[in-house]
Amino acid sequence: MKIGFCMFLWTTSVGKKHEPLLRDIKATGYDGVEIPVFTGTPDDYRRLGDMLDRIGLARTAVSAMSDPSMNLISPVVTARRKGIDYMKWAIDCSEALGAKYLSGPLHSTLGRFSGTGPTAAERKRSVSSQRSIGDHAAAKGVTIGLEALNRFECYLFNTMADLSVHIDEIGHPNIKAMYDTFHANIEEADPIGAYTKHVRNIVHVHISENDRGVPGRGNIPWAETFAAIRRSGYDGWLTIESFGRGLRDLAAATKVWRDFAESPEAVYREGYAHIRKGWRKAAPAGKVMTA
């Protein structure tokens, strides 16, 4: 198991100016960071990867599409093509960064709603788009982790069951699923079962408190969550995702209207200790914690 921290708490564009922060994240004990991919070129991300290598931080990548002209499930061919092109660019940047996983709600346009639930035609178009994306991801050595979001942020996939069925339908080894404790807490009648029943498709996990604040201070059933993940044999990333008000556009997209912690340091330092403690307690009797 590896512990990561998503840089969304501070920025959607990580650069040289963040080096002191990244070094403190490393000193806290983190194995890596999750890098937002929204702007720039592969060369920009290659240089960032070099800096992370010097610091000693591994990395994953995260992205999303909010531009309505990019729509992987649209009936308009040009909108689907633009979404696929965006995904290919994000995959290229992830490869240059040295990230083997690119996750997020990369199945539909964030915050865009049709006024009804997903249709069979939209799901069919999604299968076609994702298979094309998956082929490019495979060529670059990147695996996509599609994320089920709550109903207030998207309408295509709100539950792990619906997402997992779709992953099976896509049938591509480089198109998989991500489990997020925040969204599961909203949408799943059984958040733990939503993980255990679909773990075969899960390649990435976001650790996020019910209020998007400091993990361990809210009402997510953490003991049960860590126990389920550890029993499943999952050995990938447990990455903390938290948000603040510092980035206006991102705060609006994630509906963050207040501060959830006294400081960013409280989130990543206390959050790291929370995961370590929870993972240790979830160990079977007689087992020593490994990370």
Side-chain angles (χ1 to χ4, degrees), residues 10-23:
W10 298 276
T11 184
T12 55
S13 181
V14 180
K16 179 67 176 176
K17 68 181 180 181
H18 298 104
E19 184 170 356
L21 169 61
L22 291 164
R23 289 191 178 279

Side-chain angles (χ1 to χ4, degrees), residues 182-248:
F182 170 82
H183 296 294
N185 182 65
I186 295 173
E187 295 294 339
E188 306 286 359
D190 178 7
I192 307 305
Y195 173 85
T196 58
K197 292 175 184 176
H198 308 292
V199 67
R200 71 184 187 281
N201 282 327
I202 295 172
V203 296
H204 195 56
V205 174
H206 267 176
I207 300 297
S208 189
E209 192 51 89
N210 70 287
D211 66 351
R212 295 290 204 186
V214 180
R217 292 188 184 181
N219 64 25
I220 299 293
W222 289 115
E224 295 88 346
T225 298
F226 288 127
I229 294 172
R230 186 149 195 178
R231 280 197 306 267
S232 75
Y234 177 81
D235 195 34
W237 287 94
L238 299 182
T239 295
I240 294 175
E241 184 185 48
S242 182
F243 295 96
R245 293 189 299 162
L247 298 170
R248 182 174 298 178

Side-chain angles (χ1 to χ4, degrees), residues 37-88:
V37 176
F38 287 92
T39 61
T41 68
D43 283 343
D44 294 328
Y45 289 93
R46 188 169 292 108
R47 286 189 289 270
L48 176 56
D50 290 342
M51 182 175 73
L52 293 173
D53 284 341
R54 291 194 298 272
I55 296 171
L57 286 169
R59 76 273 346 197
T60 58
V62 63
S63 192
M65 290 170 280
S66 59
D67 182 348
S69 70
M70 301 176 186
N71 190 334
L72 295 172
I73 61 173
S74 171
V76 180
V77 174
T78 53
R80 294 202 303 276
R81 172 50 56 189
K82 192 170 181 181
I84 291 171
D85 287 344
Y86 176 88
M87 284 298 301
K88 289 182 176 179

Side-chain angles (χ1 to χ4, degrees), residues 97-133:
L97 176 68
K100 296 186 181 297
Y101 294 96
L102 169 62
S103 300
L106 302 170
H107 43 67
S108 55
T109 308
L110 184 64
R112 306 298 296 187
F113 297 90
S114 65
T116 63
T119 66
E122 287 174 325
R123 289 191 291 267
K124 183 176 180 180
R125 289 190 287 267
S126 177
V127 169
S128 177
S129 294
Q130 293 298 334
R131 286 176 179 169
S132 178
I133 292 165

